[in-house]
Amino acid sequence: MRRVDVAYSLITDETNSKVLMVKNHDHDDDVRWSLPGGAVEPGETLEQAAIREAKEETGYTVKVFGLVAVNECKFERIQEHAVFFTFRARIIDGQEQLSRPEEISQIEWVDLHEADERMPYIKDGVSRLIDRAQEIPYYDQGRKE
């Protein structure tokens, strides 16, 4: 089973009442909603992947902060063991742009209740990730500042 790391960005509006979500088209024409994110590329850090994927999928440049969730799933049918890292993020530049219509068909700001319904695979819902007082610090120990 192949391991795949996936980095997501949890982006909220200024009031923390809405979450930015994308509508994905998967390999077998399955349609599902998620946070902006995707697979970490070789040589890329989790943070770099979260920033790149948010830009590619939404048009926004984001700044990521600590982790708000780590989840995993074994997809037996495709023989992948995915580990999902979700960062809290904030938009710092850019404008909404749908640049990959073959992968992402829609970008939408969604209220928390709706986000919880669209992403039932997040235990206790997206709203719980926002309610937490503090995220888990993330450090790239290989980076020299």
Side-chain angles (χ1 to χ4, degrees):
M1 190 167 280
R2 183 173 78 100
R3 161 86 180 254
V4 179
D5 290 337
V6 180
Y8 286 111
S9 292
L10 175 62
I11 305 165
T12 60
D13 66 355
E14 297 83 25
T15 64
N16 284 341
S17 63
K18 293 188 183 254
V19 175
L20 190 62
M21 296 184 71
V22 295
K23 191 175 186 181
N24 299 271
H25 289 285
D26 290 334
H27 307 286
D28 51 3
D29 287 333
D30 184 30
V31 176
R32 65 177 173 78
W33 286 91
S34 74
L35 301 174
V40 178
E41 294 179 354
E44 195 174 44
T45 66
L46 295 170
E47 178 181 44
Q48 290 168 335
I51 292 167
R52 175 185 53 76
E53 286 286 346
K55 179 73 171 176
E56 289 176 358
E57 293 187 356
T58 69
Y60 292 118
T61 301
V62 299
K63 176 179 174 79
V64 298
F65 301 96
L67 292 162
V68 293
V70 178
N71 305 56
E72 67 182 319
C73 183
K74 291 184 178 177
F75 297 100
E76 298 293 337
R77 185 177 61 77
I78 58 173
Q79 289 295 293
E80 285 185 353
H81 176 196
V83 181
F84 306 101
F85 300 89
T86 304
F87 289 89
R88 182 180 307 276
R90 184 180 77 236
I91 295 171
I92 58 172
D93 195 20
Q95 61 185 19
E96 190 172 299
Q97 179 182 2
L98 191 61
S99 61
R100 294 182 159 187
E102 69 285 353
E103 293 177 25
I104 304 296
S105 64
Q106 194 172 341
I107 303 166
E108 187 175 325
W109 287 97
V110 179
D111 70 56
L112 296 182
H113 176 71
E114 181 69 22
D116 288 346
E117 289 180 7
R118 289 185 184 183
M119 295 188 295
Y121 44 86
I122 295 183
K123 187 177 178 174
D124 299 327
V126 176
S127 55
R128 288 284 295 180
L129 299 180
I130 294 167
D131 287 343
R132 292 198 176 129
Q134 186 175 13
E135 58 266 341
I136 299 165
Y138 168 81
Y139 303 104
D140 175 2
Q141 293 178 317
R143 181 173 53 190
K144 294 179 170 98
E145 299 213 21

